[in-house]
Amino acid sequence: MANTNDFFVSAPGKAILHGEHAVVHGKVALAVSLNLRTYLRLETTTTGKVCINLPNIDTFLCWNLTELKQLLPYSSKGEEMKRLDPELVQRLREFVGVTNGNLDTCNMATLSFLYLYLSLFGSSELPSLTLSVWSELPTGAGLGSSAAYSVCLAAALLSARGAIPTPLKEWDHTGRWCQEDLELINIHMVLYFPSVPLLRILLTNTKVPRSTKVLVARVKDKINKFPSIMTPVLDSVDAVSCTCEKVLSEMTSEPITGEHYNILEELIDINQHHLNVMGVGHPALDTLCRVTLTRGLHSKLTGAGGGGCGITLLRPETDSVVVQSTVQDLRDCGFDCWETSIGGPGVQQHAPLSVKEEVLEILNRY
Amino acid sequence: MANTNDFFVSAPGKAILHGEHAVVHGKVALAVSLNLRTYLRLETTTTGKVCINLPNIDTFLCWNLTELKQLLPYSSKGEEMKRLDPELVQRLREFVGVTNGNLDTCNMATLSFLYLYLSLFGSSELPSLTLSVWSELPTGAGLGSSAAYSVCLAAALLSARGAIPTPLKEWDHTGRWCQEDLELINIHMVLYFPSVPLLRILLTNTKVPRSTKVLVARVKDKINKFPSIMTPVLDSVDAVSCTCEKVLSEMTSEPITGEHYNILEELIDINQHHLNVMGVGHPALDTLCRVTLTRGLHSKLTGAGGGGCGITLLRPETDSVVVQSTVQDLRDCGFDCWETSIGGPGVQQHAPLSVKEEVLEILNRY
């Protein structure tokens, strides 16, 4: 059972609906919240230890408060968090044992936590606590899993420090912070999501590995090789993003019609072809599009392409039997596939009962 | 065996390499000669009859010269052929029994022949002759089969009338007319093909029926619905046609390199995606592209799309085993498929020995 003193928070992933790659060349991109969420449980303890449990990346670490105190004196105040303190970062790198070179996911997650923890609590008493994080998002798939992790960390630690209020009202399932507090939480992340209705989607991970850097370079080379052909394609992608944003905004202010969905589907198809023209398609993504189209569903890659993830729009009337069959077809192709939604809530505090049972079970394991 | 007095002529089909549909909206289109040819054999006889044999469309007709003479007096001279004589057309429609309504392929072919025959010979003695035509082109597939038929007819009858010379020199296999004579032959057809090297291709007929009119309307609707998205796509298609024409022209004046072929393949892929954006793709065409790509070959639709025909570029180094396997794969999809070339010769006279054996066999059957 959850301790009533436990603090639960969750943050969504992000998906690029339109404009990936074009954004590198000065065009509009349309990012939306993805309702595959990262959940964090913060438990205040009396063990004299600080523990983090990150089961997604097999990371389970504990430090004695006495160890951590040696990293102090540290004189930062909450307001000074806006600038990254290179001295603290260096001290933490030494502490963790990664003084130079690139950081892997585990080290990055550890450093982020310790940095936030020490900058927030360094000027007072260091609290003893256990922090567990579980994400529904695949890591490294361009779906904003590290941003969601950082947002959860910041929301939990700022609340524990008393720097922002806990927004959950008694009897409510979830609570959301006001704009000012959100800005403090999001301080290092620009998480601007436009006004978007809740849209059901399938998110598919083709699991084809790719390098974003290589793909970005490929698009750039193609623009240099065929400027007269590629420049209008970027203009067209830009117009797709703008048209889509307009339709989504209409859908939040007007009654939603089938024609709204028809247009969203057409835009998905157009942009998927454009991304192929840019050279960031992949046979696995073609398969995704073909398999879903046999069920009348429209898909496109999201993010860097060349493999990676794709999204499939579900219509309100799409029967759950069709959804389940499509998910099965895609899994039969060797893909991971989730039924989820975009345009859902941002970071929020949860009453323990409003956390999905399977997530609660994982978070309470530690 | 072929009679040495027999006159053989052939004319190529045409394929649109780039710019189909965009051409309707004021953009450049790139049409090239397609080396699936229409062959004509003209035999002067002493039977007092005029016979045409068109085995492709099961049309075998004979008229007595006395019958045809009744359609005269007709005072036209060769030079006046430039204008269509509506009175003669009307008289021929009555003679053939199609006074109003649309003409089917058979009636159209018959009327074209009789019109040309009577306008050329009407002012002199009507000659007794048998004319047989066999085409390698599928009819009604947008590959210029009626233009090739008309060009063969005009070349043969103008030569028989003595209005143009017979260009075949003794010992040569084929002969070609000079520009001035070609203009007379092509009088009703604008058959301008740009400077193009001979390129090996596969031509595939998906046999999916489609209406050019419906497809043209579909593109127009899409432009009206999404002008900011579609206008740049047409600009990009235009640039594809121009880039392709430039590369093809380089290939006729410089040593041909692998990079020339790489660019031709990239342009094919880009335009195929653009045609999909315009809404004139079809799952059968996707299949064509996918099947050929598994062999490293690049394909696009040619013509109206929505089914119909596609072309696949073969590289000089593409092994005949690969070609044969690809042809078989495509036939296994239910498609017709020919190995042929584009950029080949226009209308030409043939020595009987230079006509392919299987074509000669068909033409000599009548």
Side-chain angles (χ1 to χ4, degrees):
Chain A
M1 284 306 298
N3 184 320
T4 49
N5 285 327
D6 287 354
F7 181 89
F8 289 92
V9 66
S10 77
K14 70 145 206 319
I16 298 179
L17 199 52
H18 290 294
E20 50 271 275
H21 286 288
V23 73
V24 178
H25 303 277
K27 306 300 179 185
V28 169
L30 194 55
V32 291
S33 68
L34 174 69
N35 213 14
L36 292 177
R37 305 181 74 87
T38 296
Y39 291 85
L40 179 150
R41 168 173 160 266
L42 187 152
E43 185 190 0
T44 49
T45 60
T46 52
T47 55
K49 287 176 192 278
V50 169
C51 301
I52 56 169
N53 301 305
L54 311 173
N56 295 87
I57 54 172
D58 284 318
T59 298
F60 306 93
L61 296 167
C62 272
W63 301 275
N64 286 316
L65 288 180
T66 47
E67 268 185 284
L68 296 180
K69 271 183 190 144
Q70 287 167 20
L71 296 164
L72 302 170
Y74 184 67
S75 64
S76 174
K77 296 194 191 69
E79 305 86 71
E80 289 171 20
M81 266 183 60
K82 282 169 198 176
R83 271 171 278 111
L84 195 68
D85 179 340
E87 198 211 325
L88 179 59
V89 171
Q90 189 50 38
R91 222 179 304 150
L92 288 173
R93 274 181 166 256
E94 279 161 22
F95 178 68
V96 174
V98 282
T99 41
N100 46 36
N102 288 329
L103 297 168
D104 63 13
T105 311
C106 168
N107 287 324
M108 188 75 92
T110 308
L111 281 182
S112 307
F113 165 71
L114 288 174
Y115 182 88
L116 268 171
Y117 176 81
L118 291 173
S119 19
L120 279 169
F121 295 101
S123 57
S124 63
E125 190 73 15
L126 290 185
S128 170
L129 51 83
T130 296
L131 201 139
S132 303
V133 181
W134 173 254
S135 184
E136 299 170 331
L137 288 162
T139 54
L143 298 173
S145 61
S146 31
Y149 169 74
S150 302
V151 165
C152 283
L153 274 188
L157 295 176
L158 282 165
S159 300
R161 178 74 171 87
I164 57 173
T166 54
L168 188 68
K169 307 271 182 307
E170 209 178 352
W171 309 121
D172 271 356
H173 286 178
T174 57
R176 302 182 67 175
W177 282 274
C178 69
Q179 195 55 40
E180 197 187 333
D181 296 336
L182 284 177
E183 276 162 24
L184 200 58
I185 293 170
N186 285 339
I187 218 136
H188 294 296
M189 280 61 59
V190 181
L191 286 180
Y192 162 73
F193 297 129
S195 170
V196 165
L198 191 70
L199 299 173
R200 295 164 69 203
I201 62 156
L202 298 182
L203 183 87
T204 302
N205 188 352
T206 65
K207 298 194 277 184
V208 175
R210 76 278 181 275
S211 150
T212 299
K213 201 171 145 187
V214 167
L215 289 160
V216 167
R218 191 188 294 170
V219 174
K220 199 175 169 191
D221 289 348
K222 206 152 183 188
I223 295 170
N224 288 337
K225 187 170 182 185
F226 301 120
S228 62
I229 295 169
M230 296 307 294
T231 305
V233 172
L234 294 176
D235 290 341
S236 184
V237 170
D238 196 56
V240 167
S241 299
C242 294
T243 305
C244 187
E245 189 167 9
K246 190 162 154 274
V247 171
L248 291 174
S249 158
E250 272 179 29
M251 290 170 83
T252 61
S253 61
E254 293 173 15
I256 296 176
T257 66
E259 182 58 11
H260 284 129
Y261 276 92
N262 294 345
I263 295 176
L264 292 180
E265 288 175 347
E266 284 189 81
L267 297 177
I268 285 172
D269 291 345
I270 291 172
N271 201 356
Q272 177 63 13
H273 290 303
H274 284 348
L275 288 159
N276 274 309
V277 166
M278 291 185 216
V280 297
H282 188 277
L285 294 164
D286 295 341
T287 301
L288 166 65
C289 293
R290 195 172 63 255
V291 166
T292 55
L293 196 61
T294 62
R295 308 271 182 189
L297 303 173
H298 297 251
S299 305
K300 69 177 278 292
L301 69 85
T302 180
C309 291
I311 48 171
T312 305
L313 183 67
L314 302 176
R315 299 177 67 113
E317 69 271 22
T318 307
D319 195 272
S320 70
V321 174
V322 171
V323 175
Q324 288 318 309
S325 317
T326 310
V327 168
Q328 194 51 56
D329 289 349
L330 293 170
R331 289 182 178 157
D332 291 346
C333 295
F335 305 153
D336 287 339
C337 186
W338 299 266
E339 184 181 355
T340 179
S341 56
I342 53 177
V347 58
Q348 56 186 4
Q349 190 191 348
H350 289 266
L353 283 170
S354 79
V355 179
K356 290 181 202 174
E357 193 141 4
E358 67 266 31
V359 174
L360 203 58
E361 198 271 318
I362 294 168
L363 291 177
N364 285 341
R365 222 177 270 168
Y366 307 99
Chain B
M1 286 303 298
N3 183 321
T4 49
N5 285 325
D6 287 353
F7 180 90
F8 288 92
V9 66
S10 77
K14 70 145 206 320
I16 299 180
L17 198 52
H18 290 294
E20 50 271 274
H21 287 288
V23 74
V24 178
H25 304 277
K27 306 298 178 185
V28 169
L30 194 54
V32 291
S33 68
L34 174 69
N35 213 13
L36 292 176
R37 304 181 73 85
T38 296
Y39 291 86
L40 178 150
R41 168 172 161 265
L42 187 152
E43 185 190 1
T44 49
T45 60
T46 52
T47 55
K49 285 174 192 284
V50 169
C51 300
I52 56 169
N53 301 306
L54 311 173
N56 294 85
I57 53 171
D58 285 320
T59 299
F60 307 93
L61 295 167
C62 273
W63 301 275
N64 286 316
L65 289 181
T66 48
E67 268 184 287
L68 296 179
K69 270 181 192 145
Q70 287 167 17
L71 296 165
L72 303 169
Y74 183 67
S75 63
S76 173
K77 294 190 192 72
E79 305 88 70
E80 291 173 18
M81 265 183 61
K82 283 168 199 176
R83 271 172 276 109
L84 195 68
D85 179 339
E87 198 211 327
L88 179 58
V89 171
Q90 190 49 38
R91 221 181 304 150
L92 288 173
R93 273 182 165 257
E94 280 162 22
F95 178 68
V96 174
V98 282
T99 40
N100 47 35
N102 288 330
L103 297 168
D104 63 14
T105 311
C106 167
N107 286 324
M108 188 76 91
T110 308
L111 279 183
S112 307
F113 165 71
L114 287 174
Y115 182 87
L116 268 172
Y117 175 81
L118 290 173
S119 19
L120 280 168
F121 295 101
S123 58
S124 64
E125 192 72 11
L126 290 184
S128 171
L129 51 83
T130 296
L131 200 139
S132 303
V133 180
W134 173 253
S135 184
E136 298 170 331
L137 288 161
T139 53
L143 299 173
S145 62
S146 30
Y149 169 76
S150 301
V151 165
C152 284
L153 273 187
L157 295 176
L158 282 165
S159 300
R161 178 73 171 88
I164 56 173
T166 55
L168 189 68
K169 307 273 182 306
E170 210 179 351
W171 309 120
D172 272 355
H173 286 177
T174 56
R176 301 182 68 173
W177 282 274
C178 69
Q179 195 54 41
E180 194 188 334
D181 296 337
L182 283 177
E183 276 163 23
L184 200 58
I185 292 171
N186 284 338
I187 217 135
H188 294 297
M189 276 66 54
V190 181
L191 286 182
Y192 161 73
F193 297 130
S195 171
V196 166
L198 191 70
L199 299 173
R200 295 163 70 203
I201 63 156
L202 297 182
L203 184 88
T204 301
N205 188 351
T206 65
K207 299 194 274 182
V208 175
R210 76 279 180 272
S211 151
T212 300
K213 201 171 142 185
V214 167
L215 289 160
V216 167
R218 191 186 296 170
V219 175
K220 199 175 168 188
D221 289 348
K222 206 153 182 187
I223 295 170
N224 289 337
K225 188 171 182 183
F226 301 120
S228 62
I229 296 169
M230 295 307 294
T231 305
V233 172
L234 294 176
D235 291 341
S236 184
V237 170
D238 196 57
V240 166
S241 299
C242 294
T243 306
C244 187
E245 188 167 9
K246 190 162 153 276
V247 171
L248 292 174
S249 158
E250 273 179 30
M251 290 171 83
T252 60
S253 61
E254 293 172 14
I256 296 176
T257 66
E259 182 58 12
H260 284 127
Y261 276 92
N262 294 346
I263 295 176
L264 292 180
E265 288 175 347
E266 284 189 82
L267 297 176
I268 284 172
D269 290 344
I270 291 172
N271 201 355
Q272 177 63 15
H273 290 304
H274 285 347
L275 288 159
N276 274 310
V277 167
M278 291 186 217
V280 298
H282 189 275
L285 294 164
D286 295 341
T287 300
L288 166 65
C289 292
R290 194 172 62 254
V291 166
T292 56
L293 196 61
T294 62
R295 308 270 183 191
L297 303 173
H298 297 252
S299 306
K300 70 177 278 290
L301 70 84
T302 179
C309 291
I311 50 171
T312 305
L313 183 66
L314 303 176
R315 299 177 69 112
E317 69 271 23
T318 307
D319 195 272
S320 70
V321 174
V322 171
V323 175
Q324 288 318 308
S325 315
T326 311
V327 168
Q328 194 52 54
D329 288 349
L330 293 170
R331 289 183 179 155
D332 290 346
C333 295
F335 304 154
D336 287 339
C337 187
W338 300 267
E339 184 183 355
T340 178
S341 55
I342 53 177
V347 58
Q348 57 185 4
Q349 191 190 348
H350 289 266
L353 283 171
S354 78
V355 179
K356 290 181 202 173
E357 194 142 4
E358 67 266 30
V359 174
L360 203 59
E361 197 270 319
I362 294 168
L363 291 176
N364 285 341
R365 220 177 269 167
Y366 308 99

